[in-house]
Amino acid sequence: PMATRQRESSITSCSSASSCDADDEGVRGTCEDASLCKRFAVSIGYWHDPYIQHFVRLSKERKAPEINRGYFARVHGVSQLTKAFLRKTECHCQIINLGAGMDTTFWRLKDEDLLPSKYFEVDFPMIVTRKLHSIKCKPPLSSPILELHSEDTLQMDGHILDSKRYAVIGADLRDLSELEEKLKKCNMNTQLPTLLIAECVLVYMTPEQSASLLKWAANSFEAAMFINYEQVNMGDRFGQIMIENLRRRQCDLAGVETCKSLESQKERLLSNGWETASAVDMMELYNRLPRAEVSRIESLEFLDEMELLEQLMRHYCLCWATKGGNELGLKEITY
């Protein structure tokens, strides 16, 4: 423990003040929400994540069982597709998590010996500052990064942490030249097969902004895959209520028009440079989960209203798209 403590204290940082945009405040709040929900579901035993406790406090109020099951399906779905990509590329790849928030995937992949050549995270500078603070103060988070890093110290400047296998970058996904510049500074390699992940991110951008981001991603890499998790079927009554609830919390779903249907989700990917696109709603995904897993999580909490779960899950989807990588078999990746 002494050695780790010494190493841990050698993470240096110089902080810089950040200006924050009021419009983005509501969107930043969704990061807090998602982290609290994940932390709560983990505390009940939905899935194993020993790292999330270092980023988020345990929420005092219980989350509804259908919310917990929804998060389980989300984490499971994204994780299955991610691991399929890592298997196809034999980990000779990079992962870029866009709008990563307090995501802990880097640490969990390391524990499973499934780390890509490099794992990048991007989010609003304010969120990154918070994440870097936790990493700096908590050896269970900093030690795994330092262990993989050849130097003895990690450089942290305000909104960026860069190390050999892991980088966290504060940037606005709507400013692509800034995004690309910062990723390249952290040694993003456009020749490597690249997986990009966006969970509830595109929906907060205008359709033009998300189209530009998707085009940039499709055009930047020889071989790539994009995973998008977000709302779908938003044209109906339930969708309208979801939109109003978020509006009340100063959170505008600027990109909701693309969330009309699974078709519109796939169409956006195909019209922005991706060669294959698939999409399933989360109820379909839930119904395809291994029976043993379903029995296990359904025994954790009693859920009397299956209809409510069904309704919620029909309004979220998992989409994935590929480009190039034929020799790797990226096109065959399916949920």
Side-chain angles (χ1 to χ4, degrees):
M2 197 51 221
T4 38
R5 190 163 304 127
Q6 258 176 315
R7 293 214 73 181
E8 189 266 328
S9 62
S10 65
I11 297 185
T12 58
S13 70
C14 29
S15 177
S16 68
S18 73
S19 61
C20 64
D21 181 357
D23 283 349
D24 297 334
E25 194 48 54
V27 179
R28 281 195 293 265
T30 63
C31 157
E32 184 64 15
D33 273 0
S35 324
L36 285 168
C37 289
K38 285 181 176 175
R39 170 83 209 262
F40 184 76
V42 165
S43 75
I44 292 182
Y46 277 88
W47 69 92
H48 180 63
D49 181 349
Y51 300 101
I52 194 157
Q53 66 194 41
H54 301 302
F55 290 115
V56 215
R57 59 189 161 71
L58 188 52
S59 139
K60 301 222 188 335
E61 71 277 3
R62 286 191 77 81
K63 306 289 174 194
E66 62 274 11
I67 302 280
N68 298 327
R69 286 191 200 176
Y71 272 95
F72 173 82
R74 165 181 174 171
V75 168
H76 186 90
V78 173
S79 165
Q80 290 295 102
L81 289 173
T82 300
K83 287 177 183 176
F85 181 86
L86 287 163
R87 278 195 297 275
K88 294 278 191 198
T89 59
E90 299 182 337
C91 294
H92 296 308
C93 63
Q94 53 194 357
I95 295 179
I96 303 176
N97 192 326
L98 302 166
M102 299 298 135
D103 192 81
T104 57
T105 303
F106 164 79
W107 290 270
R108 287 182 297 137
L109 288 176
K110 181 181 184 292
D111 286 344
E112 290 183 62
D113 257 329
L114 280 174
L115 271 189
S117 304
K118 188 149 183 178
Y119 191 100
F120 300 84
E121 294 181 356
V122 184
D123 213 322
F124 281 124
M126 260 178 86
I127 287 175
V128 165
T129 302
R130 233 191 82 195
K131 188 165 201 171
L132 296 187
H133 177 76
S134 300
I135 291 173
K136 208 163 53 188
C137 302
K138 306 197 170 156
L141 299 176
S142 54
S143 302
I145 301 170
L146 282 161
E147 199 184 300
L148 297 162
H149 195 55
S150 41
E151 282 78 61
D152 262 3
T153 60
L154 276 185
Q155 206 43 51
M156 271 199 214
D157 293 314
H159 309 304
I160 292 194
L161 173 147
D162 190 23
S163 71
K164 205 188 211 74
R165 308 287 293 278
Y166 178 60
V168 191
I169 297 167
D172 190 323
L173 300 173
R174 296 163 298 194
D175 181 344
L176 295 171
S177 54
E178 176 205 19
L179 175 65
E180 180 161 13
E181 182 200 345
K182 288 180 172 176
L183 283 165
K184 287 194 166 152
K185 263 202 185 115
C186 293
N187 296 316
M188 172 181 77
N189 175 358
T190 55
Q191 301 304 299
L192 269 184
T194 300
L195 169 64
L196 301 106
I197 302 171
E199 294 183 48
C200 290
V201 171
L202 304 183
V203 69
Y204 297 113
M205 303 173 144
T206 67
E208 297 72 35
Q209 289 164 340
S210 67
S212 299
L213 178 63
L214 288 166
K215 266 193 195 111
W216 168 81
N219 295 331
S220 294
F221 308 99
E222 307 281 297
M225 174 165 165
F226 199 105
I227 298 174
N228 179 34
Y229 169 87
E230 69 180 0
Q231 290 85 344
V232 74
N233 298 324
M234 291 298 275
D236 65 15
R237 184 75 199 106
F238 190 84
Q240 292 317 114
I241 294 171
M242 279 169 72
I243 293 169
E244 277 149 31
N245 286 343
L246 279 159
R247 278 231 177 93
R248 267 207 294 279
R249 295 167 40 196
Q250 267 60 59
C251 198
D252 188 31
L253 298 181
V256 79
E257 70 183 57
T258 316
C259 303
K260 272 202 288 287
S261 64
L262 294 174
E263 280 316 309
S264 64
Q265 286 283 9
K266 287 188 285 196
E267 176 44 42
R268 165 170 62 182
L269 291 159
L270 295 171
S271 58
N272 287 299
W274 296 85
E275 294 162 1
T276 70
S278 314
V280 291
D281 76 48
M282 297 308 285
M283 198 61 215
E284 190 181 335
L285 189 143
Y286 190 83
N287 289 333
R288 287 199 226 158
L289 288 170
R291 286 298 99 197
E293 268 301 78
V294 175
S295 317
R296 183 185 71 79
I297 67 164
E298 292 190 347
S299 69
L300 293 173
E301 289 181 292
F302 178 65
L303 174 66
D304 47 359
E305 279 294 325
M306 202 56 192
E307 287 85 275
L308 196 51
L309 178 72
E310 176 105 28
Q311 229 180 0
L312 194 61
M313 303 284 254
R314 292 270 177 229
H315 287 84
Y316 282 93
C317 65
L318 185 64
C319 316
W320 61 101
T322 65
K323 185 232 147 179
N326 296 353
E327 68 298 339
L328 298 169
L330 295 188
K331 288 182 170 43
E332 297 141 34
I333 293 179
T334 181
Y335 180 72

